Amino acid sequence: QVQLVESGGGLVQAGGSLRLSCAASGLPFDSYVTGWFRQAPGKEREFVARLGGLIAYYANSVKGRFTIVRDNAKNTVYLQMSSLKSEDTAVYYCAADPSPRRDGLGTSDYSYWGQGTQVTVSS
């Protein structure tokens, strides 16, 4: 049974940092493409970052501030977020797929999802 569990969300002041974790069971992260998405109230879920092999790709809105990394030994993917802004406030979800149908930037590209973790940035 595949399970993705996010953690690390919380309340942080603008300009601060947080590290989100996504721990996987039932699948080997090093063989999967993993992604982070977020959904703010009243908005659609949007792409944040993806990691396939050693190649990372970021949304323009987070480029230079967020970093996606994987720890194969812990079977965990992290999203290191810095210089946080109020517009980063959202529920953050991790996702995984062995072979996304497209470019891994869309929600439909992923078969497995976590339950989400809330990130709130106060200004």
Side-chain angles (χ1 to χ4, degrees), residues 11-109:
L11 175 65
V12 63
Q13 288 188 334
S17 300
L18 275 178
R19 187 180 75 162
L20 306 183
S21 301
C22 176
S25 58
L27 64 83
F29 259 156
D30 59 354
S31 299
Y32 278 61
V33 175
T34 55
W36 284 96
F37 290 76
R38 65 187 182 187
Q39 188 167 18
K43 295 187 177 182
E44 293 187 352
R45 194 170 297 188
E46 66 174 6
F47 168 78
V48 174
R50 72 178 284 275
L51 181 63
L54 299 178
I55 300 174
Y57 187 81
Y58 301 93
N60 287 335
S61 59
V62 306
K63 199 173 296 182
R65 301 187 298 121
F66 291 10
T67 303
I68 182 172
V69 296
R70 183 180 61 241
D71 185 331
N72 293 334
K74 295 182 178 180
N75 210 30
T76 299
V77 171
Y78 301 95
L79 185 68
Q80 180 66 49
M81 307 185 295
S82 60
S83 301
L84 284 162
K85 306 174 182 179
S86 57
E87 51 262 45
D88 295 319
T89 294
V91 177
Y92 283 71
Y93 300 87
C94 70
D97 196 280
S99 181
R101 288 176 291 173
R102 297 182 300 166
D103 52 12
L105 305 185
T107 56
S108 63
D109 292 346

